């Protein structure tokens, strides 16, 4: 999870929402990524998807059987679907995503009976660090927006 936090910081440096992900199998990192939908002009470029793509290329296989994905934020619906399709064995995430989390916060997709693959999951790993990184980012963004609003106010004579 520490590496995922480092990757999230790389995304934040590009003004992306700071989420990082690492995929490990047999104690070896096979994929990693950070959020980059804005900079890559790709709405699917979430940290998890970027890491899955790297791992699949590394393994020359779209199935990542036996792999564990570590991510700083609870995955969304799209990312949960990708994890199921990739046959990832285990998901470990840092903090919950109260607006769109698809593991425990808004929906519990991994508990659904209709998926043909099950993966283990656990959350709360380094949760305080993951939450702090996200909170700091959004606090900074709100302050910047407030400053921009002040600068855009026209003074009437």
């Amino acid at each position: 999870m520490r590496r995922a936090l480092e990757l999230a910081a790389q995304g934040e440096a590009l003004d992306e929402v700071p989420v990082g992900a690492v995929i490990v199998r047999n104690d070896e990192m096979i994929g990693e990524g950070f959020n980059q939908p804005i900079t890559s002009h790709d709405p699917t470029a979430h940290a998890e998807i970027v890491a899955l793509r790297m791992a699949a290329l590394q393994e020359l296989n779209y199935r990542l059987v036996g792999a564990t994905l570590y991510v700083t934020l609870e995955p969304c619906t799209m990312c949960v679907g990708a994890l199921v399709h990739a046959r990832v064995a285990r998901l470990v995430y840092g903090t919950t995503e109260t607006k769109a989390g698809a593991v425990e916060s808004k929906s519990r997709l991994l508990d659904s009976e209709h998926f043909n693959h099950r993966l283990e999951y656990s959350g709360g790993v380094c949760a305080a660090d993951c939450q702090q990184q996200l909170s700091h980012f959004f606090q900074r963004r709100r302050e910047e927006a407030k400053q921009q609003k002040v600068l855009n106010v026209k003074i009437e004579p």
Side-chain angles (χ1 to χ4, degrees):
M1 192 61 77
R2 291 287 167 210
R3 177 64 182 146
L5 282 160
E6 291 171 4
L7 290 162
Q10 289 181 30
E12 183 173 11
L14 298 173
D15 214 24
E16 297 276 4
V17 175
V19 178
V22 176
I23 300 179
V24 175
R25 182 168 54 200
N26 299 326
D27 296 323
E28 179 185 345
M29 192 278 295
I30 60 171
E32 64 181 18
F34 54 84
N35 268 6
Q36 45 193 290
I38 298 167
T39 54
S40 68
H41 310 290
D42 179 357
T44 68
H46 290 193
E48 300 94 323
I49 302 299
V50 173
L52 285 168
R53 287 176 180 154
M54 178 186 274
L57 285 172
Q58 164 110 3
E59 299 297 301
L60 298 176
N61 194 338
Y62 73 108
R63 299 286 197 217
L64 301 172
V65 176
T68 298
L69 179 122
Y70 296 88
V71 64
T72 58
L73 182 65
E74 176 186 3
C76 69
T77 301
M78 174 183 69
C79 293
V80 165
L83 293 171
V84 170
H85 288 293
R87 303 298 191 260
V88 169
R90 187 168 160 240
L91 163 68
V92 178
Y93 61 91
T95 190
T96 55
E97 207 314 22
T98 58
K99 292 185 179 187
V103 177
E104 71 172 286
S105 295
K106 286 297 178 189
S107 58
R108 299 186 70 89
L109 292 180
L110 294 177
D111 294 337
S112 297
E113 297 288 327
H114 65 276
F115 285 130
N116 60 347
H117 172 70
R118 297 256 182 258
L119 57 141
E120 296 176 32
Y121 64 88
S122 58
V125 176
C126 299
D129 292 337
C130 295
Q131 183 60 50
Q132 181 180 16
Q133 190 175 44
L134 286 158
S135 295
H136 176 263
F137 172 80
F138 286 114
Q139 181 181 13
R140 180 181 57 79
R141 292 281 298 265
R142 284 189 297 274
E143 289 170 5
E144 289 171 356
K146 186 177 176 181
Q147 286 292 348
Q148 188 62 39
K149 191 174 183 181
V150 168
L151 292 174
N152 288 335
V153 172
K154 294 184 180 182
I155 300 173
E156 304 269 337

